[in-house]
Amino acid sequence: QVQVEESGGTIVQTGGSLELSCTISGLNFGGLAMGWFRQTPGNKRELLACISRSLQTTNILESVKGRVTLIRDNGANTVYLQMHDMKPEDTAMYYCAATATSAVFNCPRSGNDYLYWGQGTQVTVSS
């Protein structure tokens, strides 16, 4: 049974930092590309960044560039999203996604390319 479990969602003050984690079970973690998305009510889910099998991170969302770091721990089947200098507009439900891929150096940039999704973890940035 495949499980994608996010954790770490919290209320954080403007300018603060947080770390979200995403742990995968039931899959060969080394064969996965991973992505972190977020969504607010009425809006599309957007990709913040993704990380390839070779640990290469691609930062996608312009508004978070320079503020987001992805860390992949293959031994723990976990990917972390670290974000600093949080802003009220970062308030959203954050989702982790995974997909098996033969590509080693790249990660998908479309949500449609990810097969496995977590339930999401809420992040609220207070002003």
Side-chain angles (χ1 to χ4, degrees):
Q1 181 180 357
V2 176
Q3 289 188 317
V4 180
E5 296 190 49
E6 305 104 333
S7 62
T10 187
I11 299 172
V12 61
Q13 290 188 335
T14 296
S17 301
L18 66 70
E19 179 178 272
L20 306 179
S21 64
C22 172
T23 300
I24 305 287
S25 59
L27 293 170
N28 172 24
F29 189 78
L32 302 175
M34 305 290 298
W36 277 99
F37 294 76
R38 71 184 184 188
Q39 187 174 23
T40 54
N43 293 307
K44 289 184 177 181
R45 196 171 296 187
E46 54 187 8
L47 175 64
L48 281 76
C50 61
I51 188 164
S52 71
R53 292 172 54 192
S54 63
L55 280 66
Q56 183 170 344
T57 299
T58 301
N59 294 302
I60 302 298
L61 192 62
E62 191 66 33
S63 62
V64 303
K65 281 184 179 179
R67 301 193 291 123
V68 164
T69 301
L70 297 192
I71 299 172
R72 179 176 183 139
D73 184 347
N74 284 347
N77 289 1
T78 299
V79 171
Y80 302 92
L81 168 71
Q82 297 176 339
M83 186 180 294
H84 64 273
D85 191 21
M86 300 291 292
K87 307 176 188 300
E89 52 265 38
D90 293 323
T91 295
M93 186 71 78
Y94 283 70
Y95 297 90
C96 173
T99 193
T101 179
S102 59
V104 174
F105 302 107
N106 300 313
C107 47
R109 302 189 179 200
S110 169
N112 293 332
D113 294 326
Y114 288 86
L115 182 58
Y116 306 101
W117 291 83
Q119 294 298 307
T121 186
Q122 178 67 39
V123 173
T124 302
V125 183
S126 62
S127 56

